[in-house]
């Protein structure tokens, strides 16, 4: 499992320069958001909560621009829903293009995992 | 004497009452967020998202009784939300976030922030250390010497920086903010 292993490695004896991993995580964040939204219709706080216990924990300042960009690219869309406390919320779901990209990314990730497992042998 | 300013935030029907320092901090944050986002369509969208969230968090802090919101309230909320990462700038190389390892890559433009992670007072030295790539111990030593040499004037410089500089929770967050500022 991607997220579990990443956390485990950090708690262990990881010696990789953290700046390198920061750049890697930053690039992966968008795909993890696709994954979170693919599972359910969610609003921003759900996404933050889902990622909070992982190495991909992020803040609204990062999430909102990313969600806006992904919507502009046609990967996801939202609808407004009233909330019992506070202002109405945007509930996000994947579009057909978003679903396709999520599937494509998972396939690519599997191929990467195979490559990493075999490249050093 | 403090002036009090009423502001409206997207999605919140009733206004928020802020003292001047709190208002300035919020305005600076929102202006910086707006400027940091490359795409015009995203700017309005994200500004609305931020205002709705800031309003909800400020309401939570007021709990049951409405009161004037202070700088500490706004700072706590903005720290929770974090600096706005601007997304991709068109035409930018994907590798631009990395250090100068590859030789030809350009470093992201750096900005000075306070960094809460490892802070002794307000995180100014942590921020300067990250900015200058000098060990934080040396930065603190220089501050102490500067204080002695200037016969106690330098703590005021520190104080001024503590008020002026935006804050991020950690070194990782600072790097992320630099990445997106390019």
């Amino acid at each position: 499992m991607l997220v579990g292993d990443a956390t485990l490695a950090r708690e262990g004896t990881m010696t990789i320069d953290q700046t390198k991993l920061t750049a890697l995580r930053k690039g992966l964040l968008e795909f993890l958001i696709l994954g979170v939204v693919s599972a359910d219709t969610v609003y921003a706080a759900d996404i933050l909560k889902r990622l909070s216990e992982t190495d991909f924990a992020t803040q609204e300042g990062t999430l909102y621009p990313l969600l806006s960009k992904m919507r502009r690219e046609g990967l996801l869309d939202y609808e407004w829903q009233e909330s019992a406390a506070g202002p109405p919320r945007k509930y996000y779901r994947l579009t057909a293009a978003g679903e396709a990209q999520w599937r494509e990314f998972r396939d690519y990730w599997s191929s990467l995992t195979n490559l990493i497992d075999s490249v050093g042998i | 004497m403090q002036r009090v300013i009423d502001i409206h935030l997207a999605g919140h029907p009733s206004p928020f009452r802020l003292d001047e320092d709190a208002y300035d901090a919020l305005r600076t944050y929102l202006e910086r967020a707006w400027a940091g986002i490359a795409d015009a369509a995203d700017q309005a969208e994200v500004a609305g998202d931020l205002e709705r969230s800031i309003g909800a968090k400020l309401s939570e802090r007021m709990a049951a009784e409405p009161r004037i919101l202070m700088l500490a309230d706004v700072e706590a909320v903005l720290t929770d939300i974090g600096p706005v990462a601007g997304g991709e700038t068109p035409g930018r190389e994907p590798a631009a976030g990395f250090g100068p390892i590859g030789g030809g890559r350009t470093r992201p433009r750096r900005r000075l922030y306070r960094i809460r992670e490892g802070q002794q007072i307000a995180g100014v030295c942590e921020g300067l250390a990250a900015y200058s790539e000098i060990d934080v111990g040396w930065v603190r030593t220089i501050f102490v010497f500067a204080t002695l040499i200037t016969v106690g004037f330098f703590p005021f410089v520190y104080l001024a920086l503590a008020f002026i500089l935006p804050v991020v929770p950690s070194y990782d967050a600072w790097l992320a903010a630099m990445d997106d500022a390019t």
Side-chain angles (χ1 to χ4, degrees):
Chain A
M1 203 179 83
L2 163 75
V3 166
D5 286 355
T7 310
L8 196 70
R10 188 181 54 179
E11 284 163 4
T13 53
M14 190 185 263
T15 53
I16 305 174
D17 178 1
Q18 283 299 308
T19 34
K20 292 184 196 176
L21 294 178
T22 302
L24 181 66
R25 282 196 287 262
K26 190 170 174 291
L28 280 176
L29 181 61
E30 180 175 331
F31 295 104
L32 274 147
I33 291 171
L34 273 183
V36 174
V37 182
S38 80
D40 202 359
T41 311
V42 288
Y43 79 109
D46 295 328
I47 301 175
L48 292 176
K49 195 172 161 209
R50 179 66 189 84
L51 297 176
S52 65
E53 299 293 311
T54 73
D55 272 7
F56 295 88
T58 189
Q59 291 177 288
E60 283 149 290
T62 306
L63 183 64
Y64 290 144
L66 209 47
L67 287 172
S68 182
K69 183 187 76 100
M70 290 164 76
R71 177 169 172 264
R72 193 157 41 78
E73 291 171 351
L75 299 174
L76 36 87
D77 206 357
Y78 63 75
E79 59 180 44
W80 290 100
Q81 279 183 29
E82 291 299 325
S83 135
R89 294 167 176 171
K90 288 175 180 174
Y91 275 83
Y92 290 89
R93 57 172 182 75
L94 291 192
T95 60
E99 305 252 11
Q101 188 166 111
W102 173 235
R103 278 195 302 273
E104 211 176 293
F105 176 73
R106 286 177 60 152
D107 289 346
Y108 179 60
W109 189 261
S110 312
S111 74
L112 271 187
T113 310
N114 287 337
L115 173 68
I116 289 166
D117 284 347
S118 60
V119 77
I121 298 169
Chain B
M1 197 175 72
Q2 267 282 16
R3 210 147 60 95
V4 170
I5 298 155
D6 283 341
I7 58 158
H8 282 276
L9 293 172
H12 296 268
S14 35
F16 293 85
R17 183 156 283 192
L18 272 63
D19 77 12
E20 207 166 357
D21 294 341
Y23 171 78
D24 286 343
L26 183 57
R27 201 187 56 179
T28 307
Y29 175 86
L30 288 173
E31 281 174 358
R32 193 166 286 175
W34 186 276
I37 296 169
D39 188 276
D42 289 344
Q43 282 178 330
E45 187 83 20
V46 173
D49 291 338
L50 288 172
E51 286 191 21
R52 269 183 297 279
S53 176
I54 290 167
K57 287 176 202 289
L58 288 176
S59 303
E60 260 174 48
R61 288 186 74 83
M62 286 194 289
E65 55 175 312
R67 61 176 171 87
I68 298 169
L69 291 154
M70 319 289 261
L71 182 60
D73 295 310
V74 168
E75 272 190 340
V77 166
L78 297 183
T79 305
D80 187 29
I81 290 178
V84 167
E88 285 164 296
T89 313
R92 187 181 125 206
E93 272 187 33
F98 288 93
I101 304 154
R105 288 168 182 156
T106 51
R107 276 201 71 88
R109 191 160 58 91
R110 295 185 207 184
R111 285 211 197 125
L112 195 52
Y113 279 80
R114 288 192 284 135
I115 300 177
R116 289 227 190 274
E117 189 181 22
Q119 68 180 34
Q120 291 290 327
I121 305 171
V124 170
C125 286
E126 286 287 344
L128 280 168
Y131 183 86
S132 60
E133 288 187 349
I134 297 170
D135 186 89
V136 69
W138 282 111
V139 176
R140 293 199 172 111
T141 309
I142 293 166
F143 255 88
V144 169
F145 273 104
T147 303
L148 294 175
I149 291 164
T150 59
V151 207
F153 172 74
F154 227 65
F156 290 102
V157 176
Y158 186 98
L159 211 61
L161 286 172
F163 273 104
I164 293 165
L165 297 180
V167 63
V168 288
S170 66
Y171 183 71
D172 260 9
W174 179 76
L175 281 174
M178 292 318 99
D179 244 10
D180 291 300
T182 47

